[in-house]
Amino acid sequence: MCGKTDKKKKYMKRTTSVSKQLTTGRAVRRVGAPSGPRNADLRRANLIDTASNLFMEKGYEATTMDEIAAGAGVAKGTLYHYFASKSELLEVLKDGFEDEVMNRVRSRVERCAADNWRGRLKAWIEAAANAYFDMSKLHDVIFFGAGMPLRSAMAEAEITRYLAKLISDGAKAGAWHVDDETWTALIMFYGFRGGCDEAIIGTQCAEDVSSKLYYLFLRILGVHE
């Protein structure tokens, strides 16, 4: 029996620390940023990490640039040398979040043999679910914290395109059959996200989500055990 409290402790306690993994990707220093010693990237990473923690703690709308500067231990002017606004910081966090998820997914999938289509599908599910659980609070800040609509097109999202290609390649190899890999990937992605959300709110056991999704995905692909 999976308890709600134990599940939340297990999958939510690492959320803050995971944000530190997102501060090194796509680092581009703004023109005019203080040159200082060779720690510009570290200063930038500190600002991003501080913003991430404050957004998760207080909410995006409630956090001010003054608080981010103070939390990072820099002058407000220094913060503005690196980031012109909160929305720019949020966009950097979004880019880093997506990079981290895809790095995990690719690494896990590519450890499987090229012709092990079921294994590669299962790896996609497990890696994506682990990333979603690890970074769920940050995910909610990035995608919902700035008043963004709940509905958003996912067909062009990298994680969905990666799944669509996996499905297409598997179909060409005869592992399953699909008429429209993009549509199939979208339906599977939304099923994945819904299943993870149910686990996060405690209506499903987080430990069971990956296996349940795996067998559901196989049925969607017309594969029956």
Side-chain angles (χ1 to χ4, degrees):
M1 187 71 176
C2 181
K4 296 181 184 179
T5 301
D6 290 342
K7 181 274 303 174
K8 288 181 180 178
K9 286 181 179 178
K10 179 175 180 181
Y11 289 102
M12 299 289 285
K13 67 182 180 181
R14 297 199 302 272
T15 302
T16 300
S17 62
V18 169
S19 69
K20 295 179 181 178
Q21 300 174 36
L22 311 181
T23 59
T24 57
R26 306 187 187 185
V28 178
R29 191 161 64 91
R30 293 179 63 82
V31 174
S35 56
R38 298 176 184 177
N39 64 351
D41 288 343
L42 291 176
R43 186 185 295 114
R44 183 180 186 277
N46 181 41
L47 291 169
I48 296 170
D49 193 48
T50 299
S52 172
N53 291 335
L54 285 169
F55 291 165
M56 289 189 288
E57 178 185 345
K58 298 187 61 178
Y60 173 81
E61 296 294 349
T63 300
T64 67
M65 291 290 273
D66 284 335
E67 290 171 325
I68 295 170
V74 302
K76 188 175 179 180
T78 300
L79 171 59
Y80 277 106
H81 274 301
Y82 288 88
F83 303 102
S85 63
K86 283 196 306 178
S87 62
E88 187 174 318
L89 274 161
L90 192 67
E91 188 63 28
V92 170
L93 284 170
K94 180 176 180 290
D95 289 343
F97 176 90
E98 292 173 348
D99 285 346
E100 174 67 14
V101 172
M102 286 310 304
N103 285 340
R104 294 191 190 195
V105 169
R106 285 196 189 91
S107 176
R108 189 74 172 268
V109 170
E110 290 171 8
R111 288 204 297 266
C112 298
D115 60 350
N116 182 5
W117 296 106
R118 293 194 191 188
R120 293 171 78 84
L121 180 66
K122 189 174 183 180
W124 184 97
I125 296 168
E126 291 177 347
N130 286 340
Y132 196 93
F133 288 138
D134 284 348
M135 299 186 288
S136 61
K137 192 171 182 180
L138 183 60
H139 168 279
D140 291 349
V141 166
I142 291 168
F143 292 99
F144 306 133
M148 297 177 68
L150 292 177
R151 293 186 180 93
S152 58
M154 289 301 301
E156 293 304 313
E158 189 173 6
I159 190 167
T160 313
R161 288 189 286 111
Y162 188 86
L163 178 59
K165 187 175 188 311
L166 192 159
I167 293 169
S168 176
D169 290 346
K172 290 174 184 176
W176 42 64
H177 173 76
V178 293
D179 295 322
D180 186 334
E181 62 269 13
T182 299
W183 174 251
T184 302
L186 281 170
I187 295 302
M188 289 164 68
F189 174 81
Y190 283 117
F192 152 80
R193 191 164 73 178
C196 289
D197 284 343
E198 289 297 315
I200 287 170
I201 65 175
T203 62
Q204 293 290 320
C205 238
E207 292 85 351
D208 297 337
V209 166
S210 291
S211 61
K212 286 184 175 181
L213 287 171
Y214 173 65
Y215 290 112
L216 174 63
F217 281 17
L218 288 180
R219 289 195 293 274
I220 290 173
L221 293 170
V223 177
H224 300 283
E225 292 287 322

